[in-house]
Amino acid sequence: DAGITQSPRHKVTETGTPVTLRCHQTENHRYMYWYRQDPGHGLRLIHYSYGVKDTDKGEVSDGYSVSRSKTEDFLLTLESATSSQTSVYFCAISEDRGLGYTFGSGTRLTVV
Amino acid sequence: DQQVKQNSPSLSVQEGRISILNCDYTNSMFDYFLWYKKYPAEGPTFLISISSIKDKNEDGRFTVFLNKSAKHLSLHIVPSQPGDSAVYFCAASSNAGGTSYGKLTFGQGTILTVHP
C-alpha cells in the first residue's frame, strides 16, 4: 500500500473548539489534498498543496486552514468547529499533476 | 454548481450481468477522467482512467467510454461480481494552462450492489 496515513481515524469534538487532522505520507509526493465526503455531495476539495509552504483553497475552504511545513505532512485545522463540519475527511497524494490520487483511509469527525 | 454529476444514487445488478455507471460533466476544459471505487470505512481506490484524446479504455472487466460531444462518460463492468459492490465515484481534471495542480472534481457517487 502507498504510504499515506491519517490521524486520528475517529474524533468527537465540541462546537467551537479547534481541531487539527493530520495527513502523513512516506512517498515524497509533491501534491497533497484534503477532501470531505458528505451524502449527496460526493467528495469536495477543501484545500490543496503543491509544495512545502505552497497551499491554496478548494471549493469548500471556509472555516478551514492548512499548513505544510515539510513534504510529508499536511495538516488540516478547523479553527472553530461547527456541526456542519461533521463529515468524513480524506487526504490524498499525487506524484504528478494530471495523475490520479492515492487516498488515505479517512478521518470521521463528529462535532456535537 | 456541480460540474461532475452522477445522477443515479444507486444501481442493483445480478451477478454475471453488466453494470453500467454513468457520469455527466459540464466543464468543457476537463481533459482527464477517472473512476474510483470505495468500500465502507476505507479511502477511495483508483479503478480506471481515460484521457480526452481517447473514447475507450479497457482494463480487464472494466471499460470506460467517453463521449466528449455529449460530455458523458460511463463505466462498464462485465461480468459483475458481488465483490464489486461499493460506491463508485467519477472524477475529472483539467490540465489546461498548467495551473490545475492536478485537482480532481468528483461526482456524488453511485452505490452499486451486485446480488449473488
Side-chain angles (χ1 to χ4, degrees), chain A residues 33 35 37 40 42 48 90 97-98 100-101 103-104, chain B residues 32 36 38 41 43-44 98 101-104 106-108:
Chain A
Y33 311 85
Y35 282 82
Q37 184 195 3
Y48 64 99
F90 288 100
R97 184 182 63 220
Y101 298 166
F103 281 90
Chain B
Y32 189 60
Y36 282 82
K38 184 185 179 306
Y101 300 111
K103 293 177 289 181
L104 293 180
F106 286 84
Q108 305 97 310

mmCIF file with all atom_site columns, all heavy atoms in Angstrom, chain A residues 33 35 37 40 42 48 90 97-98 100-101 103-104, chain B residues 32 36 38 41 43-44 98 101-104 106-108:
data_model
loop_
_atom_site.group_PDB
_atom_site.id
_atom_site.type_symbol
_atom_site.label_atom_id
_atom_site.label_alt_id
_atom_site.label_comp_id
_atom_site.label_asym_id
_atom_site.label_entity_id
_atom_site.label_seq_id
_atom_site.pdbx_PDB_ins_code
_atom_site.Cartn_x
_atom_site.Cartn_y
_atom_site.Cartn_z
_atom_site.occupancy
_atom_site.B_iso_or_equiv
_atom_site.pdbx_formal_charge
_atom_site.auth_seq_id
_atom_site.auth_comp_id
_atom_site.auth_asym_id
_atom_site.auth_atom_id
_atom_site.pdbx_PDB_model_num
ATOM 1   N N   . TYR A 1 33  ? -3.813  16.806 -0.878  1.00 0.00 ? 33  TYR A N   1
ATOM 2   C CA  . TYR A 1 33  ? -5.162  17.363 -0.951  1.00 0.00 ? 33  TYR A CA  1
ATOM 3   C C   . TYR A 1 33  ? -5.971  16.939 0.276   1.00 0.00 ? 33  TYR A C   1
ATOM 4   O O   . TYR A 1 33  ? -5.804  15.836 0.785   1.00 0.00 ? 33  TYR A O   1
ATOM 5   C CB  . TYR A 1 33  ? -5.894  16.851 -2.199  1.00 0.00 ? 33  TYR A CB  1
ATOM 6   C CG  . TYR A 1 33  ? -5.108  16.954 -3.489  1.00 0.00 ? 33  TYR A CG  1
ATOM 7   C CD1 . TYR A 1 33  ? -4.211  15.945 -3.851  1.00 0.00 ? 33  TYR A CD1 1
ATOM 8   C CD2 . TYR A 1 33  ? -5.271  18.032 -4.346  1.00 0.00 ? 33  TYR A CD2 1
ATOM 9   C CE1 . TYR A 1 33  ? -3.492  16.027 -5.033  1.00 0.00 ? 33  TYR A CE1 1
ATOM 10  C CE2 . TYR A 1 33  ? -4.554  18.117 -5.532  1.00 0.00 ? 33  TYR A CE2 1
ATOM 11  C CZ  . TYR A 1 33  ? -3.662  17.111 -5.874  1.00 0.00 ? 33  TYR A CZ  1
ATOM 12  O OH  . TYR A 1 33  ? -2.957  17.196 -7.038  1.00 0.00 ? 33  TYR A OH  1
ATOM 13  N N   . TYR A 1 35  ? -10.044 16.477 1.212   1.00 0.00 ? 35  TYR A N   1
ATOM 14  C CA  . TYR A 1 35  ? -11.426 16.431 0.737   1.00 0.00 ? 35  TYR A CA  1
ATOM 15  C C   . TYR A 1 35  ? -12.330 16.083 1.920   1.00 0.00 ? 35  TYR A C   1
ATOM 16  O O   . TYR A 1 35  ? -11.907 15.466 2.887   1.00 0.00 ? 35  TYR A O   1
ATOM 17  C CB  . TYR A 1 35  ? -11.613 15.347 -0.329  1.00 0.00 ? 35  TYR A CB  1
ATOM 18  C CG  . TYR A 1 35  ? -11.116 15.716 -1.701  1.00 0.00 ? 35  TYR A CG  1
ATOM 19  C CD1 . TYR A 1 35  ? -9.774  15.591 -2.028  1.00 0.00 ? 35  TYR A CD1 1
ATOM 20  C CD2 . TYR A 1 35  ? -11.995 16.167 -2.682  1.00 0.00 ? 35  TYR A CD2 1
ATOM 21  C CE1 . TYR A 1 35  ? -9.313  15.929 -3.302  1.00 0.00 ? 35  TYR A CE1 1
ATOM 22  C CE2 . TYR A 1 35  ? -11.546 16.498 -3.961  1.00 0.00 ? 35  TYR A CE2 1
ATOM 23  C CZ  . TYR A 1 35  ? -10.207 16.383 -4.251  1.00 0.00 ? 35  TYR A CZ  1
ATOM 24  O OH  . TYR A 1 35  ? -9.761  16.718 -5.511  1.00 0.00 ? 35  TYR A OH  1
ATOM 25  N N   . GLN A 1 37  ? -16.174 14.157 2.530   1.00 0.00 ? 37  GLN A N   1
ATOM 26  C CA  . GLN A 1 37  ? -17.215 13.366 1.878   1.00 0.00 ? 37  GLN A CA  1
ATOM 27  C C   . GLN A 1 37  ? -18.507 13.489 2.646   1.00 0.00 ? 37  GLN A C   1
ATOM 28  O O   . GLN A 1 37  ? -18.557 13.211 3.850   1.00 0.00 ? 37  GLN A O   1
ATOM 29  C CB  . GLN A 1 37  ? -16.827 11.884 1.801   1.00 0.00 ? 37  GLN A CB  1
ATOM 30  C CG  . GLN A 1 37  ? -17.858 11.060 1.049   1.00 0.00 ? 37  GLN A CG  1
ATOM 31  C CD  . GLN A 1 37  ? -17.719 9.572  1.242   1.00 0.00 ? 37  GLN A CD  1
ATOM 32  O OE1 . GLN A 1 37  ? -16.864 9.091  1.992   1.00 0.00 ? 37  GLN A OE1 1
ATOM 33  N NE2 . GLN A 1 37  ? -18.549 8.816  0.569   1.00 0.00 ? 37  GLN A NE2 1
ATOM 34  N N   . GLY A 1 40  ? -24.766 12.880 -0.838  1.00 0.00 ? 40  GLY A N   1
ATOM 35  C CA  . GLY A 1 40  ? -25.347 13.756 -1.842  1.00 0.00 ? 40  GLY A CA  1
ATOM 36  C C   . GLY A 1 40  ? -24.380 14.741 -2.457  1.00 0.00 ? 40  GLY A C   1
ATOM 37  O O   . GLY A 1 40  ? -24.712 15.420 -3.438  1.00 0.00 ? 40  GLY A O   1
ATOM 38  N N   . GLY A 1 42  ? -20.769 13.860 -2.659  1.00 0.00 ? 42  GLY A N   1
ATOM 39  C CA  . GLY A 1 42  ? -19.543 13.194 -3.075  1.00 0.00 ? 42  GLY A CA  1
ATOM 40  C C   . GLY A 1 42  ? -18.353 13.717 -2.305  1.00 0.00 ? 42  GLY A C   1
ATOM 41  O O   . GLY A 1 42  ? -18.429 13.987 -1.101  1.00 0.00 ? 42  GLY A O   1
ATOM 42  N N   . TYR A 1 48  ? -5.568  22.355 -0.934  1.00 0.00 ? 48  TYR A N   1
ATOM 43  C CA  . TYR A 1 48  ? -4.554  21.508 -1.528  1.00 0.00 ? 48  TYR A CA  1
ATOM 44  C C   . TYR A 1 48  ? -3.190  22.156 -1.415  1.00 0.00 ? 48  TYR A C   1
ATOM 45  O O   . TYR A 1 48  ? -3.081  23.365 -1.125  1.00 0.00 ? 48  TYR A O   1
ATOM 46  C CB  . TYR A 1 48  ? -4.891  21.179 -2.985  1.00 0.00 ? 48  TYR A CB  1
ATOM 47  C CG  . TYR A 1 48  ? -4.921  22.372 -3.916  1.00 0.00 ? 48  TYR A CG  1
ATOM 48  C CD1 . TYR A 1 48  ? -3.838  22.686 -4.729  1.00 0.00 ? 48  TYR A CD1 1
ATOM 49  C CD2 . TYR A 1 48  ? -6.061  23.176 -3.992  1.00 0.00 ? 48  TYR A CD2 1
ATOM 50  C CE1 . TYR A 1 48  ? -3.884  23.765 -5.579  1.00 0.00 ? 48  TYR A CE1 1
ATOM 51  C CE2 . TYR A 1 48  ? -6.116  24.265 -4.845  1.00 0.00 ? 48  TYR A CE2 1
ATOM 52  C CZ  . TYR A 1 48  ? -5.023  24.548 -5.637  1.00 0.00 ? 48  TYR A CZ  1
ATOM 53  O OH  . TYR A 1 48  ? -5.069  25.628 -6.492  1.00 0.00 ? 48  TYR A OH  1
ATOM 54  N N   . PHE A 1 90  ? -10.908 13.058 3.926   1.00 0.00 ? 90  PHE A N   1
ATOM 55  C CA  . PHE A 1 90  ? -9.903  12.241 3.251   1.00 0.00 ? 90  PHE A CA  1
ATOM 56  C C   . PHE A 1 90  ? -8.741  13.104 2.791   1.00 0.00 ? 90  PHE A C   1
ATOM 57  O O   . PHE A 1 90  ? -8.928  14.182 2.228   1.00 0.00 ? 90  PHE A O   1
ATOM 58  C CB  . PHE A 1 90  ? -10.500 11.538 2.025   1.00 0.00 ? 90  PHE A CB  1
ATOM 59  C CG  . PHE A 1 90  ? -11.431 10.421 2.373   1.00 0.00 ? 90  PHE A CG  1
ATOM 60  C CD1 . PHE A 1 90  ? -12.802 10.610 2.335   1.00 0.00 ? 90  PHE A CD1 1
ATOM 61  C CD2 . PHE A 1 90  ? -10.930 9.175  2.731   1.00 0.00 ? 90  PHE A CD2 1
ATOM 62  C CE1 . PHE A 1 90  ? -13.662 9.577  2.660   1.00 0.00 ? 90  PHE A CE1 1
ATOM 63  C CE2 . PHE A 1 90  ? -11.786 8.135  3.056   1.00 0.00 ? 90  PHE A CE2 1
ATOM 64  C CZ  . PHE A 1 90  ? -13.154 8.339  3.023   1.00 0.00 ? 90  PHE A CZ  1
ATOM 65  N N   . ARG A 1 97  ? 1.121   16.216 -11.444 1.00 0.00 ? 97  ARG A N   1
ATOM 66  C CA  . ARG A 1 97  ? -0.107  16.833 -11.905 1.00 0.00 ? 97  ARG A CA  1
ATOM 67  C C   . ARG A 1 97  ? -0.655  16.025 -13.079 1.00 0.00 ? 97  ARG A C   1
ATOM 68  O O   . ARG A 1 97  ? 0.062   15.649 -13.979 1.00 0.00 ? 97  ARG A O   1
ATOM 69  C CB  . ARG A 1 97  ? 0.216   18.260 -12.352 1.00 0.00 ? 97  ARG A CB  1
ATOM 70  C CG  . ARG A 1 97  ? -0.955  19.079 -12.781 1.00 0.00 ? 97  ARG A CG  1
ATOM 71  C CD  . ARG A 1 97  ? -0.506  20.441 -13.241 1.00 0.00 ? 97  ARG A CD  1
ATOM 72  N NE  . ARG A 1 97  ? 0.352   20.373 -14.394 1.00 0.00 ? 97  ARG A NE  1
ATOM 73  C CZ  . ARG A 1 97  ? 1.421   21.142 -14.544 1.00 0.00 ? 97  ARG A CZ  1
ATOM 74  N NH1 . ARG A 1 97  ? 1.791   21.970 -13.599 1.00 0.00 ? 97  ARG A NH1 1
ATOM 75  N NH2 . ARG A 1 97  ? 2.147   21.058 -15.634 1.00 0.00 ? 97  ARG A NH2 1
ATOM 76  N N   . GLY A 1 98  ? -1.948  15.769 -13.037 1.00 0.00 ? 98  GLY A N   1
ATOM 77  C CA  . GLY A 1 98  ? -2.562  15.032 -14.137 1.00 0.00 ? 98  GLY A CA  1
ATOM 78  C C   . GLY A 1 98  ? -2.695  13.550 -13.873 1.00 0.00 ? 98  GLY A C   1
ATOM 79  O O   . GLY A 1 98  ? -3.379  12.861 -14.606 1.00 0.00 ? 98  GLY A O   1
ATOM 80  N N   . GLY A 1 100 ? -3.752  10.331 -11.158 1.00 0.00 ? 100 GLY A N   1
ATOM 81  C CA  . GLY A 1 100 ? -4.747  10.114 -10.127 1.00 0.00 ? 100 GLY A CA  1
ATOM 82  C C   . GLY A 1 100 ? -4.160  10.204 -8.735  1.00 0.00 ? 100 GLY A C   1
ATOM 83  O O   . GLY A 1 100 ? -2.966  10.386 -8.546  1.00 0.00 ? 100 GLY A O   1
ATOM 84  N N   . TYR A 1 101 ? -5.034  10.095 -7.783  1.00 0.00 ? 101 TYR A N   1
ATOM 85  C CA  . TYR A 1 101 ? -4.649  10.200 -6.388  1.00 0.00 ? 101 TYR A CA  1
ATOM 86  C C   . TYR A 1 101 ? -4.520  8.827  -5.730  1.00 0.00 ? 101 TYR A C   1
ATOM 87  O O   . TYR A 1 101 ? -5.139  7.855  -6.161  1.00 0.00 ? 101 TYR A O   1
ATOM 88  C CB  . TYR A 1 101 ? -5.729  10.897 -5.569  1.00 0.00 ? 101 TYR A CB  1
ATOM 89  C CG  . TYR A 1 101 ? -6.087  12.311 -5.898  1.00 0.00 ? 101 TYR A CG  1
ATOM 90  C CD1 . TYR A 1 101 ? -7.244  12.851 -5.359  1.00 0.00 ? 101 TYR A CD1 1
ATOM 91  C CD2 . TYR A 1 101 ? -5.313  13.127 -6.713  1.00 0.00 ? 101 TYR A CD2 1
ATOM 92  C CE1 . TYR A 1 101 ? -7.633  14.158 -5.610  1.00 0.00 ? 101 TYR A CE1 1
ATOM 93  C CE2 . TYR A 1 101 ? -5.694  14.431 -6.984  1.00 0.00 ? 101 TYR A CE2 1
ATOM 94  C CZ  . TYR A 1 101 ? -6.852  14.944 -6.424  1.00 0.00 ? 101 TYR A CZ  1
ATOM 95  O OH  . TYR A 1 101 ? -7.233  16.232 -6.674  1.00 0.00 ? 101 TYR A OH  1
ATOM 96  N N   . PHE A 1 103 ? -5.505  7.761  -1.862  1.00 0.00 ? 103 PHE A N   1
ATOM 97  C CA  . PHE A 1 103 ? -6.212  8.299  -0.704  1.00 0.00 ? 103 PHE A CA  1
ATOM 98  C C   . PHE A 1 103 ? -5.787  7.622  0.583   1.00 0.00 ? 103 PHE A C   1
ATOM 99  O O   . PHE A 1 103 ? -5.424  6.449  0.602   1.00 0.00 ? 103 PHE A O   1
ATOM 100 C CB  . PHE A 1 103 ? -7.724  8.091  -0.862  1.00 0.00 ? 103 PHE A CB  1
ATOM 101 C CG  . PHE A 1 103 ? -8.392  9.076  -1.763  1.00 0.00 ? 103 PHE A CG  1
ATOM 102 C CD1 . PHE A 1 103 ? -8.506  8.821  -3.117  1.00 0.00 ? 103 PHE A CD1 1
ATOM 103 C CD2 . PHE A 1 103 ? -8.909  10.262 -1.264  1.00 0.00 ? 103 PHE A CD2 1
ATOM 104 C CE1 . PHE A 1 103 ? -9.137  9.725  -3.961  1.00 0.00 ? 103 PHE A CE1 1
ATOM 105 C CE2 . PHE A 1 103 ? -9.536  11.168 -2.096  1.00 0.00 ? 103 PHE A CE2 1
ATOM 106 C CZ  . PHE A 1 103 ? -9.651  10.902 -3.449  1.00 0.00 ? 103 PHE A CZ  1
ATOM 107 N N   . GLY A 1 104 ? -5.898  8.386  1.674   1.00 0.00 ? 104 GLY A N   1
ATOM 108 C CA  . GLY A 1 104 ? -5.794  7.802  2.993   1.00 0.00 ? 104 GLY A CA  1
ATOM 109 C C   . GLY A 1 104 ? -7.101  7.117  3.368   1.00 0.00 ? 104 GLY A C   1
ATOM 110 O O   . GLY A 1 104 ? -8.068  7.129  2.598   1.00 0.00 ? 104 GLY A O   1
ATOM 111 N N   . TYR B 2 32  ? -9.227  14.886 -18.512 1.00 0.00 ? 32  TYR B N   1
ATOM 112 C CA  . TYR B 2 32  ? -8.779  13.613 -17.953 1.00 0.00 ? 32  TYR B CA  1
ATOM 113 C C   . TYR B 2 32  ? -9.846  13.161 -16.977 1.00 0.00 ? 32  TYR B C   1
ATOM 114 O O   . TYR B 2 32  ? -10.288 13.944 -16.130 1.00 0.00 ? 32  TYR B O   1
ATOM 115 C CB  . TYR B 2 32  ? -7.432  13.811 -17.252 1.00 0.00 ? 32  TYR B CB  1
ATOM 116 C CG  . TYR B 2 32  ? -6.739  12.545 -16.818 1.00 0.00 ? 32  TYR B CG  1
ATOM 117 C CD1 . TYR B 2 32  ? -6.376  11.562 -17.735 1.00 0.00 ? 32  TYR B CD1 1
ATOM 118 C CD2 . TYR B 2 32  ? -6.416  12.339 -15.486 1.00 0.00 ? 32  TYR B CD2 1
ATOM 119 C CE1 . TYR B 2 32  ? -5.729  10.418 -17.341 1.00 0.00 ? 32  TYR B CE1 1
ATOM 120 C CE2 . TYR B 2 32  ? -5.767  11.192 -15.080 1.00 0.00 ? 32  TYR B CE2 1
ATOM 121 C CZ  . TYR B 2 32  ? -5.424  10.228 -16.009 1.00 0.00 ? 32  TYR B CZ  1
ATOM 122 O OH  . TYR B 2 32  ? -4.774  9.089  -15.624 1.00 0.00 ? 32  TYR B OH  1
ATOM 123 N N   . TYR B 2 36  ? -13.169 5.945  -9.394  1.00 0.00 ? 36  TYR B N   1
ATOM 124 C CA  . TYR B 2 36  ? -12.679 5.432  -8.127  1.00 0.00 ? 36  TYR B CA  1
ATOM 125 C C   . TYR B 2 36  ? -13.760 4.554  -7.515  1.00 0.00 ? 36  TYR B C   1
ATOM 126 O O   . TYR B 2 36  ? -14.958 4.782  -7.697  1.00 0.00 ? 36  TYR B O   1
ATOM 127 C CB  . TYR B 2 36  ? -12.352 6.573  -7.158  1.00 0.00 ? 36  TYR B CB  1
ATOM 128 C CG  . TYR B 2 36  ? -11.038 7.249  -7.434  1.00 0.00 ? 36  TYR B CG  1
ATOM 129 C CD1 . TYR B 2 36  ? -10.934 8.221  -8.414  1.00 0.00 ? 36  TYR B CD1 1
ATOM 130 C CD2 . TYR B 2 36  ? -9.894  6.898  -6.733  1.00 0.00 ? 36  TYR B CD2 1
ATOM 131 C CE1 . TYR B 2 36  ? -9.720  8.849  -8.670  1.00 0.00 ? 36  TYR B CE1 1
ATOM 132 C CE2 . TYR B 2 36  ? -8.678  7.510  -6.987  1.00 0.00 ? 36  TYR B CE2 1
ATOM 133 C CZ  . TYR B 2 36  ? -8.603  8.477  -7.956  1.00 0.00 ? 36  TYR B CZ  1
ATOM 134 O OH  . TYR B 2 36  ? -7.398  9.087  -8.214  1.00 0.00 ? 36  TYR B OH  1
ATOM 135 N N   . LYS B 2 38  ? -15.022 2.775  -3.778  1.00 0.00 ? 38  LYS B N   1
ATOM 136 C CA  . LYS B 2 38  ? -14.853 2.971  -2.342  1.00 0.00 ? 38  LYS B CA  1
ATOM 137 C C   . LYS B 2 38  ? -15.683 1.964  -1.569  1.00 0.00 ? 38  LYS B C   1
ATOM 138 O O   . LYS B 2 38  ? -16.902 1.875  -1.734  1.00 0.00 ? 38  LYS B O   1
ATOM 139 C CB  . LYS B 2 38  ? -15.269 4.396  -1.944  1.00 0.00 ? 38  LYS B CB  1
ATOM 140 C CG  . LYS B 2 38  ? -15.020 4.698  -0.469  1.00 0.00 ? 38  LYS B CG  1
ATOM 141 C CD  . LYS B 2 38  ? -15.531 6.039  -0.076  1.00 0.00 ? 38  LYS B CD  1
ATOM 142 C CE  . LYS B 2 38  ? -15.289 6.273  1.414   1.00 0.00 ? 38  LYS B CE  1
ATOM 143 N NZ  . LYS B 2 38  ? -15.843 5.200  2.260   1.00 0.00 ? 38  LYS B NZ  1
ATOM 144 N N   . ALA B 2 41  ? -15.638 2.461  5.214   1.00 0.00 ? 41  ALA B N   1
ATOM 145 C CA  . ALA B 2 41  ? -14.542 2.646  6.173   1.00 0.00 ? 41  ALA B CA  1
ATOM 146 C C   . ALA B 2 41  ? -13.159 2.592  5.519   1.00 0.00 ? 41  ALA B C   1
ATOM 147 O O   . ALA B 2 41  ? -12.150 2.392  6.210   1.00 0.00 ? 41  ALA B O   1
ATOM 148 C CB  . ALA B 2 41  ? -14.617 1.639  7.315   1.00 0.00 ? 41  ALA B CB  1
ATOM 149 N N   . GLY B 2 43  ? -10.575 4.433  2.204   1.00 0.00 ? 43  GLY B N   1
ATOM 150 C CA  . GLY B 2 43  ? -10.469 5.509  1.243   1.00 0.00 ? 43  GLY B CA  1
ATOM 151 C C   . GLY B 2 43  ? -10.766 5.025  -0.161  1.00 0.00 ? 43  GLY B C   1
ATOM 152 O O   . GLY B 2 43  ? -10.679 3.830  -0.445  1.00 0.00 ? 43  GLY B O   1
ATOM 153 N N   . PRO B 2 44  ? -11.145 5.926  -1.057  1.00 0.00 ? 44  PRO B N   1
ATOM 154 C CA  . PRO B 2 44  ? -11.370 5.538  -2.449  1.00 0.00 ? 44  PRO B CA  1
ATOM 155 C C   . PRO B 2 44  ? -10.078 4.991  -3.072  1.00 0.00 ? 44  PRO B C   1
ATOM 156 O O   . PRO B 2 44  ? -8.982  5.435  -2.733  1.00 0.00 ? 44  PRO B O   1
ATOM 157 C CB  . PRO B 2 44  ? -11.774 6.856  -3.127  1.00 0.00 ? 44  PRO B CB  1
ATOM 158 C CG  . PRO B 2 44  ? -12.251 7.730  -2.018  1.00 0.00 ? 44  PRO B CG  1
ATOM 159 C CD  . PRO B 2 44  ? -11.434 7.351  -0.825  1.00 0.00 ? 44  PRO B CD  1
ATOM 160 N N   . GLY B 2 98  ? -1.770  24.614 -17.269 1.00 0.00 ? 98  GLY B N   1
ATOM 161 C CA  . GLY B 2 98  ? -0.783  24.158 -16.298 1.00 0.00 ? 98  GLY B CA  1
ATOM 162 C C   . GLY B 2 98  ? -0.990  24.653 -14.899 1.00 0.00 ? 98  GLY B C   1
ATOM 163 O O   . GLY B 2 98  ? -0.087  24.578 -14.063 1.00 0.00 ? 98  GLY B O   1
ATOM 164 N N   . TYR B 2 101 ? -2.872  22.056 -10.900 1.00 0.00 ? 101 TYR B N   1
ATOM 165 C CA  . TYR B 2 101 ? -2.241  21.334 -9.787  1.00 0.00 ? 101 TYR B CA  1
ATOM 166 C C   . TYR B 2 101 ? -2.870  19.966 -9.564  1.00 0.00 ? 101 TYR B C   1
ATOM 167 O O   . TYR B 2 101 ? -2.866  19.449 -8.457  1.00 0.00 ? 101 TYR B O   1
ATOM 168 C CB  . TYR B 2 101 ? -2.281  22.173 -8.507  1.00 0.00 ? 101 TYR B CB  1
ATOM 169 C CG  . TYR B 2 101 ? -1.565  23.488 -8.671  1.00 0.00 ? 101 TYR B CG  1
ATOM 170 C CD1 . TYR B 2 101 ? -2.262  24.680 -8.692  1.00 0.00 ? 101 TYR B CD1 1
ATOM 171 C CD2 . TYR B 2 101 ? -0.184  23.532 -8.827  1.00 0.00 ? 101 TYR B CD2 1
ATOM 172 C CE1 . TYR B 2 101 ? -1.605  25.881 -8.870  1.00 0.00 ? 101 TYR B CE1 1
ATOM 173 C CE2 . TYR B 2 101 ? 0.483   24.727 -9.003  1.00 0.00 ? 101 TYR B CE2 1
ATOM 174 C CZ  . TYR B 2 101 ? -0.236  25.913 -9.013  1.00 0.00 ? 101 TYR B CZ  1
ATOM 175 O OH  . TYR B 2 101 ? 0.413   27.106 -9.180  1.00 0.00 ? 101 TYR B OH  1
ATOM 176 N N   . GLY B 2 102 ? -3.417  19.407 -10.623 1.00 0.00 ? 102 GLY B N   1
ATOM 177 C CA  . GLY B 2 102 ? -3.939  18.055 -10.513 1.00 0.00 ? 102 GLY B CA  1
ATOM 178 C C   . GLY B 2 102 ? -5.217  17.922 -9.726  1.00 0.00 ? 102 GLY B C   1
ATOM 179 O O   . GLY B 2 102 ? -5.596  16.824 -9.335  1.00 0.00 ? 102 GLY B O   1
ATOM 180 N N   . LYS B 2 103 ? -5.910  19.031 -9.482  1.00 0.00 ? 103 LYS B N   1
ATOM 181 C CA  . LYS B 2 103 ? -7.130  18.942 -8.695  1.00 0.00 ? 103 LYS B CA  1
ATOM 182 C C   . LYS B 2 103 ? -8.178  18.115 -9.423  1.00 0.00 ? 103 LYS B C   1
ATOM 183 O O   . LYS B 2 103 ? -8.392  18.288 -10.611 1.00 0.00 ? 103 LYS B O   1
ATOM 184 C CB  . LYS B 2 103 ? -7.685  20.347 -8.426  1.00 0.00 ? 103 LYS B CB  1
ATOM 185 C CG  . LYS B 2 103 ? -6.827  21.190 -7.524  1.00 0.00 ? 103 LYS B CG  1
ATOM 186 C CD  . LYS B 2 103 ? -7.436  22.574 -7.380  1.00 0.00 ? 103 LYS B CD  1
ATOM 187 C CE  . LYS B 2 103 ? -7.301  23.353 -8.664  1.00 0.00 ? 103 LYS B CE  1
ATOM 188 N NZ  . LYS B 2 103 ? -7.857  24.707 -8.569  1.00 0.00 ? 103 LYS B NZ  1
ATOM 189 N N   . LEU B 2 104 ? -8.829  17.241 -8.667  1.00 0.00 ? 104 LEU B N   1
ATOM 190 C CA  . LEU B 2 104 ? -9.909  16.436 -9.210  1.00 0.00 ? 104 LEU B CA  1
ATOM 191 C C   . LEU B 2 104 ? -11.242 16.950 -8.698  1.00 0.00 ? 104 LEU B C   1
ATOM 192 O O   . LEU B 2 104 ? -11.371 17.288 -7.522  1.00 0.00 ? 104 LEU B O   1
ATOM 193 C CB  . LEU B 2 104 ? -9.746  14.970 -8.816  1.00 0.00 ? 104 LEU B CB  1
ATOM 194 C CG  . LEU B 2 104 ? -8.554  14.212 -9.391  1.00 0.00 ? 104 LEU B CG  1
ATOM 195 C CD1 . LEU B 2 104 ? -8.546  12.775 -8.889  1.00 0.00 ? 104 LEU B CD1 1
ATOM 196 C CD2 . LEU B 2 104 ? -8.576  14.236 -10.911 1.00 0.00 ? 104 LEU B CD2 1
ATOM 197 N N   . PHE B 2 106 ? -15.073 15.668 -8.221  1.00 0.00 ? 106 PHE B N   1
ATOM 198 C CA  . PHE B 2 106 ? -15.760 14.384 -8.105  1.00 0.00 ? 106 PHE B CA  1
ATOM 199 C C   . PHE B 2 106 ? -17.264 14.528 -8.266  1.00 0.00 ? 106 PHE B C   1
ATOM 200 O O   . PHE B 2 106 ? -17.854 15.569 -7.937  1.00 0.00 ? 106 PHE B O   1
ATOM 201 C CB  . PHE B 2 106 ? -15.488 13.762 -6.734  1.00 0.00 ? 106 PHE B CB  1
ATOM 202 C CG  . PHE B 2 106 ? -14.103 13.197 -6.585  1.00 0.00 ? 106 PHE B CG  1
ATOM 203 C CD1 . PHE B 2 106 ? -13.039 14.016 -6.224  1.00 0.00 ? 106 PHE B CD1 1
ATOM 204 C CD2 . PHE B 2 106 ? -13.858 11.844 -6.796  1.00 0.00 ? 106 PHE B CD2 1
ATOM 205 C CE1 . PHE B 2 106 ? -11.762 13.501 -6.095  1.00 0.00 ? 106 PHE B CE1 1
ATOM 206 C CE2 . PHE B 2 106 ? -12.575 11.322 -6.665  1.00 0.00 ? 106 PHE B CE2 1
ATOM 207 C CZ  . PHE B 2 106 ? -11.534 12.146 -6.315  1.00 0.00 ? 106 PHE B CZ  1
ATOM 208 N N   . GLY B 2 107 ? -17.869 13.448 -8.744  1.00 0.00 ? 107 GLY B N   1
ATOM 209 C CA  . GLY B 2 107 ? -19.315 13.345 -8.726  1.00 0.00 ? 107 GLY B CA  1
ATOM 210 C C   . GLY B 2 107 ? -19.801 12.900 -7.354  1.00 0.00 ? 107 GLY B C   1
ATOM 211 O O   . GLY B 2 107 ? -19.013 12.659 -6.435  1.00 0.00 ? 107 GLY B O   1
ATOM 212 N N   . GLN B 2 108 ? -21.126 12.750 -7.240  1.00 0.00 ? 108 GLN B N   1
ATOM 213 C CA  . GLN B 2 108 ? -21.723 12.438 -5.939  1.00 0.00 ? 108 GLN B CA  1
ATOM 214 C C   . GLN B 2 108 ? -21.572 10.978 -5.543  1.00 0.00 ? 108 GLN B C   1
ATOM 215 O O   . GLN B 2 108 ? -21.763 10.624 -4.385  1.00 0.00 ? 108 GLN B O   1
ATOM 216 C CB  . GLN B 2 108 ? -23.218 12.786 -5.931  1.00 0.00 ? 108 GLN B CB  1
ATOM 217 C CG  . GLN B 2 108 ? -23.544 14.215 -6.321  1.00 0.00 ? 108 GLN B CG  1
ATOM 218 C CD  . GLN B 2 108 ? -23.919 14.313 -7.781  1.00 0.00 ? 108 GLN B CD  1
ATOM 219 O OE1 . GLN B 2 108 ? -23.208 13.809 -8.662  1.00 0.00 ? 108 GLN B OE1 1
ATOM 220 N NE2 . GLN B 2 108 ? -25.026 14.967 -8.059  1.00 0.00 ? 108 GLN B NE2 1
#
